[in-house]
Structure formats: C-alpha cells, structure tokens
Amino acid sequence: MTDLVITRIFDAPRDLVYRAFVDPDQLAAWFGPVGWSVPRDSIDIDPRPGGNQKFTMVNDADPSMTSPVNATFVEVVENELLVGEEDVSHIPSFGADKLVMRIEFFDEEGGRTRLVLTQSPFPAAMETGAREGWGSSFTKLDKILA
C-alpha cells in the first residue's frame, strides 16, 4: 500500500476549481476518465463535515458497467480543502477497509490554482490506472474551466 499523490496546475482561480468538485452540474460535466460519465441525476453532494458525496460513474460503451462512489466528508474548508472517507471493504482487491481522499487547493501566480490530491492507503497495483484516470478527468476539467 502507498499514498497516491497527484499534483495539477489549473489555469483558473482557486474558488472556480473548488466549485468544480462540489457543484453537481459541474461534477457531471467532467468527472470520470475518458469513456466514463457521471449522470447528473446520480449526484448528491453536501460539502460539509458529515455530509455525503454520492454519484455513479457509468461506462459509455457498456452502461451496465458502473462504479458507485459513496463518501463522507470529514473535513471541509471552502476553497481550500476537501477530505472524504469511503468504505472500500466491498472491493477485495483494494486491500483496505477505508480510502481517504484529501484535495488541497493553493493559489498560484497568474490567477492559477495548484491542486494536490492524495488518496490513501492506495494499492500500488492500481496506481498507474488511477493516475491515468485522474489525468483524463483533469483534462476534461481543464476544458470546463477555460
């Protein structure tokens, strides 16, 4: 097990990047790797400690392939930090009962934002696929923020 850490610079102010993670309409427009989408009606987000983040990723080619997300926010600082926990005990290959995702938002020069995403504990065998998935999701987010 390892920590998956991904850093990405977005050409948009911090409040806009943060909002893309907590606004259901925006999340539906970008979340999920290429070939997957998140139906707007599957999204329920309550960005506060104890609030939920629920949605379902659906494979575009085979809609019977789905990947539900059901996380609870444990720490929220508007425009700065989102920390959520998800029970992954139903995924034997994960090797852990709980996945913690921490997303930090930092101001960068020129009105840009540095995002640091950490998922832990993370199975090393899944790291390459996760990096590719986040990368293609963030490429979609770049277009929304432009």
Side-chain angles (χ1 to χ4, degrees):
M1 300 297 269
T2 184
D3 286 353
L4 175 70
V5 180
I6 297 172
T7 301
R8 177 86 171 223
I9 304 288
F10 291 98
D11 195 13
R14 191 169 43 149
D15 62 316
L16 293 183
V17 178
Y18 175 87
R19 199 159 49 245
F21 281 82
V22 298
D23 177 86
D25 293 329
Q26 291 187 55
L27 194 75
W30 71 269
F31 196 90
V34 170
W36 292 77
S37 56
V38 176
R40 171 61 183 87
D41 63 1
S42 79
I43 301 173
D44 179 25
I45 299 177
D46 182 7
R48 62 181 173 82
N52 288 318
Q53 179 189 47
K54 297 179 184 176
F55 57 85
T56 302
M57 290 191 298
V58 178
N59 185 281
D60 297 337
D62 179 2
S64 70
M65 286 180 59
T66 62
S67 180
V69 171
N70 184 358
T72 301
F73 289 109
V74 293
E75 216 178 327
V76 176
V77 179
E78 188 172 0
N79 300 327
E80 292 181 21
L81 178 67
L82 292 168
V83 180
E85 295 180 347
E86 184 174 10
D87 179 351
V88 292
S89 60
H90 62 284
I91 308 171
S93 60
F94 218 88
D97 288 339
K98 183 171 59 173
L99 175 66
V100 176
M101 182 160 69
R102 179 180 185 90
I103 305 171
E104 299 170 274
F105 304 84
F106 301 96
D107 288 327
E108 287 288 316
E109 286 185 27
R112 298 183 311 155
T113 301
R114 177 171 41 95
L115 179 144
V116 178
L117 178 147
T118 306
Q119 289 181 298
S120 66
F122 205 84
M126 295 182 178
E127 183 175 350
T128 299
R131 285 188 183 283
E132 290 170 1
W134 278 113
S136 68
S137 285
F138 288 161
T139 297
K140 291 195 280 187
L141 179 53
D142 283 333
K143 293 175 183 159
I144 302 256
L145 293 169

